[in-house]
Amino acid sequence: MTAFRTLARTLAITSLGLATFMGTATAAQAETLRVGMSGGYYPFTFVDHDKLQGFEVDVMNAIGKQTGDDIKFVTASFSGLAGMLDSGRIDTIANQITITPERQAKYAFSEPYVYDGAQVVVRKGNDSIHGVEDLKGKTVIMNLGSNYETLLKELPYADEINLKTYESNIEQDVALGRADAFVMDRTSASQVIKDKPLPLQLAGQPFSKIENALPFRNDDAGRAQRDRVNKALDTLRDNGELKAISEKWFNSDITEAPQSEGSEKTGSDS
Amino acid sequence: MQALNLDYMVGLVPVLLGYLPLTLGMAAAGMVCALILSCLLAVIRVSRLPGLNQAAKLFISFFRGTPLLVQLFLFYYGLPQFLSFLVSINGVTATIMGLTLHFSAYMAESIRAAITGIDRSQTEAAQSIGMTQFQTMRRIILPQATRVATPTLMNYFIDMIKSTSLAFTLGVTELMGATQKEAASSFLYFEAFLVVALIYWVIVEALSWCQKRLEKRLNRAYQR
């Protein structure tokens, strides 16, 4: 019965492999901050030829240098990140998470480190949409689980917008003309339009100011991590490192709170 | 009309191939575990063991009746809320377990069909020369059923390889997850997804070749 023997051997090898996988999972180090991100949100977190990089990566590494923690990045599709945080598989999410009342009730947020604005983006040449007020009767798409869904649902004419949420690739569907517009943060949208080959354009001004921060689990351990990160953020703000990282990726400082209500400063989020 | 960015595609191949061992490893581990579990289930169903038979029916009904993605989310994100030790299970292990449970439900049915397809007279003949039920199963029925079930089981294995693409939702960057991230940063969707499609296709073609050889071998006794 050579077939059975081969099977047995394969099984032995497999269970060995399984044991190794599980071994790495349980060997938790005390000083490791596990940071979840999608790896698919240019230029905040993205992967180019297997190299994870972006604004969020630089910020988290700078924070790690201040706190002395090992930063371990975990990438997962955006819709899986909250589940990973809740179930204790990661300690925070660095993916331009906007502070909202609902999220604030559930998580312990760090202080904001990005100030941005929600932005409507349309296909290049589409001059019928000049901003959020023109979205009536249009098909508008956004990332699943993002805060923009809530923002649009709060509009008085929300039920007249054909709102759809996607797992990924919203930019492509608007570029293809399958949807009229997508909504995401101003900073990221501008950068995509500038750097990437998709025929897209901004439609009007950002329509909502947003503040993005790092969510931690709202328990003793989570709040302790949050406090350590806050201290590190203060230092990075004071020594200009945060600003330098922002200018590296955006040629502007998006980490500073707008001075006044009428300020030009815009923001973004996911 | 843009031209295809061939340089980008060629550059992407070695990057994506790096994820092949993980994808194939998860599928292979899932397949081995699913084979064992599904044989058990099939034998329970065929021999109608009281109690166990009902349990097997319920198991098959649930895992065939719900999508794999739902099962993965239930298991990975849902259950740890109640059973905290499940948090220590990582995405790779959870994917393998999900594939095992999901596909063994299907495979059990196809193995059951293969077993019941063997003529009853063979069981009677085996028992007339004094074989026990277990011996009959192991030495007469299962070897023949293996031959009948091989093509459908291979189909499930192929399906399983492709189903590993769901692991990215559990934070496991496998072949498809890696492709999604590359596409999301280059915005060269067609190029990236074409490369990954070709890679999957080549794997499955290679498997089909193995299947042909395996079937030939299993059919040796039947050639005239």
Side-chain angles (χ1 to χ4, degrees):
Chain A
M1 295 261 90
T2 42
F4 276 114
R5 226 173 295 145
T6 321
L7 194 73
R9 207 168 341 145
T10 321
L11 185 66
I13 294 168
T14 314
S15 27
L16 212 74
L18 264 180
T20 321
F21 283 137
M22 292 172 119
T24 42
T26 44
Q29 292 112 324
E31 294 296 312
T32 300
L33 189 69
R34 296 163 301 171
V35 180
M37 49 176 59
S38 69
Y41 195 39
Y42 182 87
F44 285 106
T45 153
F46 65 101
V47 173
D48 187 12
H49 286 77
D50 241 6
K51 194 173 176 313
L52 184 64
Q53 51 196 311
F55 173 85
E56 299 279 21
V57 176
D58 288 354
V59 169
M60 290 316 301
N61 281 332
I63 288 175
K65 216 175 274 169
Q66 290 300 325
T67 60
D69 288 346
D70 269 342
I71 302 293
K72 185 174 172 250
F73 294 108
V74 178
T75 51
S77 57
F78 188 72
S79 54
L81 289 173
M84 294 183 92
L85 181 59
D86 293 348
S87 58
R89 289 186 169 92
I90 52 176
D91 300 311
T92 188
I93 303 172
N95 209 92
Q96 293 298 294
I97 303 299
T98 296
I99 303 172
T100 66
E102 298 79 20
R103 288 173 180 165
Q104 218 155 11
K106 182 161 182 193
Y107 300 112
F109 270 102
S110 75
E111 60 186 59
Y113 63 103
V114 164
Y115 299 84
D116 212 334
Q119 174 71 47
V120 179
V121 184
V122 296
R123 194 184 148 88
K124 201 173 195 155
N126 178 352
D127 291 324
S128 65
I129 298 176
H130 303 283
V132 72
E133 58 285 351
D134 296 328
L135 293 180
K136 238 185 251 186
K138 305 284 193 220
T139 301
V140 184
I141 59 182
M142 58 210 57
N143 279 318
L144 183 65
S146 80
N147 175 49
Y148 303 118
E149 194 182 341
T150 325
L151 282 182
L152 285 202
K153 280 188 176 150
E154 280 167 359
L155 294 172
Y157 45 89
D159 44 355
E160 289 172 66
I161 301 175
N162 181 15
L163 213 113
K164 286 185 185 167
T165 51
Y166 279 37
E167 186 71 22
S168 54
N169 308 333
I170 53 174
E171 300 92 338
Q172 170 77 337
D173 249 18
V174 170
L176 289 174
R178 219 175 269 148
D180 297 304
F182 69 81
V183 177
M184 68 183 203
D185 66 277
R186 165 80 159 199
T187 313
S188 187
S190 313
Q191 213 64 25
V192 167
I193 291 169
K194 204 170 95 205
D195 298 346
K196 301 298 178 182
L198 296 184
L200 297 169
Q201 68 186 28
L202 301 180
Q205 293 300 308
F207 64 90
S208 174
K209 287 196 162 55
I210 46 198
E211 299 187 349
N212 300 335
L214 300 163
F216 292 85
R217 272 184 310 283
N218 203 358
D219 53 25
D220 287 342
R223 283 189 295 267
Q225 282 170 331
R226 191 255 332 255
D227 295 343
R228 281 218 308 276
V229 164
N230 270 345
K231 241 179 89 191
L233 277 173
D234 285 343
T235 312
L236 295 173
R237 212 178 273 289
D238 290 344
N239 68 13
E241 236 182 287
L242 205 54
K243 185 179 178 200
I245 294 171
S246 172
E247 282 179 343
K248 170 185 167 190
W249 291 103
F250 303 106
N251 293 317
S252 66
D253 188 5
I254 61 169
T255 65
E256 203 58 52
Q259 289 309 307
S260 64
E261 270 303 292
S263 160
E264 285 279 302
K265 270 282 164 50
T266 59
S268 94
D269 117 282
S270 192
Chain B
M1 184 66 207
Q2 302 165 242
L4 217 55
N5 190 336
L6 282 176
D7 284 346
Y8 175 74
M9 290 175 69
V10 171
L12 206 53
V13 171
V15 172
L16 295 185
L17 284 183
Y19 290 91
L20 205 52
L22 180 61
T23 288
L24 290 181
M26 288 194 296
M31 188 65 185
V32 172
C33 300
L35 263 179
I36 295 167
L37 185 56
S38 59
C39 281
L40 258 170
L41 287 168
V43 170
I44 289 172
R45 294 276 285 113
V46 171
S47 46
R48 299 209 181 82
L49 294 170
L52 282 179
N53 188 25
Q54 281 71 26
K57 267 190 192 166
L58 184 69
F59 175 93
I60 291 170
S61 160
F62 178 77
F63 284 100
R64 225 165 45 149
T66 51
L68 177 56
L69 185 61
V70 173
Q71 293 161 15
L72 289 175
F73 272 39
L74 254 181
F75 187 74
Y76 195 69
Y77 296 126
L79 272 187
Q81 285 182 346
F82 307 103
L83 307 166
S84 53
F85 68 92
L86 281 177
V87 174
S88 62
I89 289 176
N90 66 7
V92 174
T93 314
T95 305
I96 294 172
M97 290 170 122
L99 291 173
T100 300
L101 297 175
H102 185 79
F103 279 92
S104 61
Y106 286 93
M107 285 160 56
E109 290 297 273
S110 105
I111 292 172
R112 184 171 68 96
I115 293 175
T116 51
I118 310 297
D119 203 289
R120 253 203 100 70
S121 60
Q122 297 210 19
T123 312
E124 288 159 4
Q127 279 165 1
S128 77
I129 58 164
M131 279 196 188
T132 63
Q133 211 178 358
F134 178 75
Q135 282 173 325
T136 313
M137 207 29 120
R138 207 189 88 112
R139 306 180 65 169
I140 309 289
I141 308 294
L142 282 183
Q144 297 184 77
T146 305
R147 174 179 160 265
V148 178
T150 299
T152 49
L153 292 183
M154 203 54 140
N155 266 350
Y156 288 126
F157 185 45
I158 288 170
D159 204 2
M160 202 184 276
I161 291 175
K162 294 183 288 190
S163 297
T164 55
S165 57
L166 295 176
F168 189 41
T169 53
L170 307 191
V172 180
T173 303
E174 38 58 65
L175 193 51
M176 186 57 196
T179 312
Q180 282 184 336
K181 286 193 282 190
E182 297 290 346
S185 90
S186 67
F187 292 86
L188 295 169
Y189 296 98
F190 187 71
E191 284 88 340
F193 294 133
L194 183 59
V195 169
V196 79
L198 292 174
I199 291 176
Y200 277 115
W201 193 9
V202 168
I203 301 168
V204 172
E205 270 308 294
L207 270 177
S208 304
W209 182 82
C210 296
Q211 181 187 348
K212 226 179 280 165
R213 296 204 35 163
L214 181 65
E215 280 181 29
K216 226 179 193 166
R217 214 190 129 88
L218 291 169
N219 276 332
R220 223 185 268 160
Y222 293 84
Q223 275 160 6
R224 30 195 109 192

